[in-house]
Amino acid sequence: MVAPVRVTVLGPEGSFGHLAAEQHFGHGVQVSARDTIADVFDDVERKRVSYGLVPFETSTDGALAETLDALAASEARICGELTLPCTYDLASKTGNAADVEKIYGTSHALAACEQTLRRDFPKATLLDVRSGLGAAE
């Protein structure tokens, strides 16, 4: 019997990292979630997992400095690439745009949607959180 592939990703179950791992390795993949890119690289270097999956670039920010820095300081090497289209949804308790006072999102999501959010919700406070799931909570 073959053991499942073990992968560490950035972000909790349901995050883009988790979805990318399942898309690349299949639904049988064993995924560990980490809070930072450095944590993902640490798991790979300590051989806790076979692979680490981190974001390399985004359409709004380009290459991610944190990933590039971790890659330069590590013995880990890139062995694959996956392009994952990312979409963002805005949810509210009432469904009424006029009731929105605060918008929670990751820095990347807020940056990608900034023009729309500023235009459609000019009075809302934008709050940066670690994950999209954290924003939903």
Side-chain angles (χ1 to χ4, degrees):
M1 179 171 222
V2 177
V5 175
R6 294 179 346 170
V7 179
T8 293
V9 302
L10 177 66
E13 185 174 349
S15 67
F16 289 126
H18 192 267
L19 296 173
E22 286 187 345
Q23 184 175 337
H24 188 77
F25 294 101
H27 290 289
V29 67
Q30 189 176 64
V31 179
S32 300
R34 295 293 180 257
D35 291 331
T36 69
I37 289 170
D39 291 341
V40 174
F41 273 84
D42 186 57
D43 279 359
V44 171
E45 290 172 351
R46 293 176 185 263
K47 301 189 185 320
R48 294 180 185 128
V49 294
S50 300
Y51 300 97
L53 196 150
V54 295
F56 189 78
E57 67 181 356
T58 69
S59 59
T60 54
D61 298 328
L64 300 179
E66 186 178 356
T67 299
L68 294 174
D69 291 346
L71 188 59
S74 172
E75 294 295 319
R77 295 293 167 243
I78 297 171
C79 64
E81 176 183 7
L82 176 69
T83 300
L84 185 68
C86 299
T87 60
Y88 302 100
D89 295 301
L90 182 64
S92 74
K93 289 181 180 180
T94 67
N96 184 353
D99 294 336
V100 176
E101 297 175 358
K102 297 177 184 176
I103 298 174
Y104 296 86
T106 64
S107 59
H108 299 294
L110 293 173
C113 303
E114 184 174 16
Q115 289 180 355
T116 301
L117 295 174
R118 293 287 180 210
R119 182 191 68 228
D120 295 347
F121 304 94
K123 294 181 181 176
T125 302
L126 305 181
L127 300 164
D128 185 7
V129 294
R130 286 191 155 280
S131 73
L133 293 177
E137 290 173 351

